[in-house]
Amino acid sequence: MIRVVLADDSFLAREGLARVLGTIDDVELVAVCGDLDELRSTVSDVKPDVVLTDIRMPPTNTDEGIRFAGELRRSLPQVGVVVLSQHAEPAYAMSLFEDGSNQRAYLLKERIKDPDELARALREVAAGNSLVDPRIVDKLVSARLNDPGIEKLTKREREILSLIAEGRSNTWIAESLQITKRAVERHINGIFLKLELPEDGDANRRVKATLVYLTGAAA
């Protein structure tokens, strides 16, 4: 079972999320919180596998969820975090992954209407992996279509680049695109060579490197 602590300042949102979590067989909701102070205290006490948190909560209603994810890197590095946001903001995603992308996910709130999407995020994070909402990746890729690096990529390579940024594994990409895993690996090597990104077999660092490129932070 994946033990989850839920945090959102909206009562209705908490109730809705709790109901969705209740439909996921391998997830146990162990606590619900309404603000950052309560979340800190609760996580310290129950030490869940994953924190599912809104990006904005009291006391400042700015980026509490992301800041708390950063705190957990130092205090409880074994605890994963799935951050929920109303808006597709790439800058928030990059802030979340600033100290590493493993055990972190950035998901749009509209996705939680589908229990399968939320379940996937929780499972990936609990397993030590990372995940980025596809809409954010689409926004990043579209913003850089005129970039010389992106222009070097073939249509297939751009497609795979997007899937890498979402946190998809080579196996998942191969099955989704109906090509061999070996072909995926060749495409990825070509992508990283053309974009002058360091080759790295670690899937989480690969996600971060791709996001850094897509946000222009590596330019």
Side-chain angles (χ1 to χ4, degrees):
M1 295 292 287
I2 301 171
R3 300 172 65 251
V4 174
V5 167
L6 167 64
D8 198 299
D9 65 321
S10 165
F11 173 78
L12 291 177
R14 291 197 301 271
E15 288 295 299
L17 282 165
R19 282 197 295 271
V20 174
L21 292 171
T23 67
I24 304 173
D25 292 339
D26 57 344
V27 167
E28 177 188 4
L29 180 59
V30 295
V32 178
C33 308
D35 59 48
L36 181 58
D37 289 339
E38 184 182 8
L39 178 60
R40 280 197 186 105
S41 175
T42 300
V43 170
S44 178
D45 288 341
V46 305
K47 296 179 176 59
D49 299 307
V50 179
V51 171
L52 176 63
T53 178
D54 190 6
I55 196 170
R56 297 174 180 174
M57 288 182 295
T60 67
N61 290 302
T62 54
D63 62 348
E64 279 79 5
I66 289 175
R67 286 193 284 113
F68 184 62
E71 291 176 18
L72 287 179
R73 283 283 186 212
R74 298 178 290 275
S75 61
L76 291 170
Q78 75 275 17
V79 178
V81 181
V82 176
V83 172
L84 300 174
S85 177
Q86 293 277 18
H87 309 289
E89 292 293 344
Y92 282 137
M94 283 306 301
S95 295
L96 177 64
F97 298 138
E98 186 174 6
D99 296 323
S101 56
N102 58 302
Q103 296 176 286
R104 295 294 182 266
Y106 187 92
L107 199 64
L108 295 181
K109 276 192 170 182
E110 65 189 54
R111 300 288 182 183
I112 63 176
K113 297 173 185 176
D114 181 356
D116 291 340
E117 286 288 333
L118 182 56
R120 177 186 168 238
L122 293 171
R123 289 168 187 149
E124 288 289 335
V125 167
N129 300 319
S130 55
L131 183 147
V132 183
D133 194 286
R135 272 194 58 195
I136 295 171
V137 175
D138 288 345
K139 188 173 181 179
L140 289 171
V141 172
S142 296
R144 299 210 68 178
L145 282 179
N146 293 324
D147 180 273
I150 293 289
E151 288 184 339
K152 294 177 186 176
L153 303 183
T154 65
K155 182 179 179 181
R156 176 66 87 190
E157 287 172 340
R158 287 198 297 269
E159 190 174 19
I160 291 176
L161 177 69
S162 295
L163 295 173
I164 292 171
E166 289 174 26
R168 303 289 187 176
S169 68
N170 287 5
T171 300
W172 192 98
I173 294 172
E175 292 175 353
S176 175
L177 301 181
Q178 297 184 326
I179 58 178
T180 66
K181 189 176 177 182
R182 185 82 174 265
V184 171
E185 292 168 353
R186 287 198 300 269
H187 282 304
I188 290 174
N189 288 337
I191 290 167
F192 275 58
L193 181 64
K194 290 177 182 178
L195 299 184
E196 299 181 358
L197 291 171
E199 291 187 30
D200 198 326
D202 185 288
N204 293 313
R205 285 199 291 268
R206 189 175 73 176
V207 171
K208 186 177 179 183
T210 306
L211 287 173
V212 165
Y213 178 83
L214 289 174
T215 56

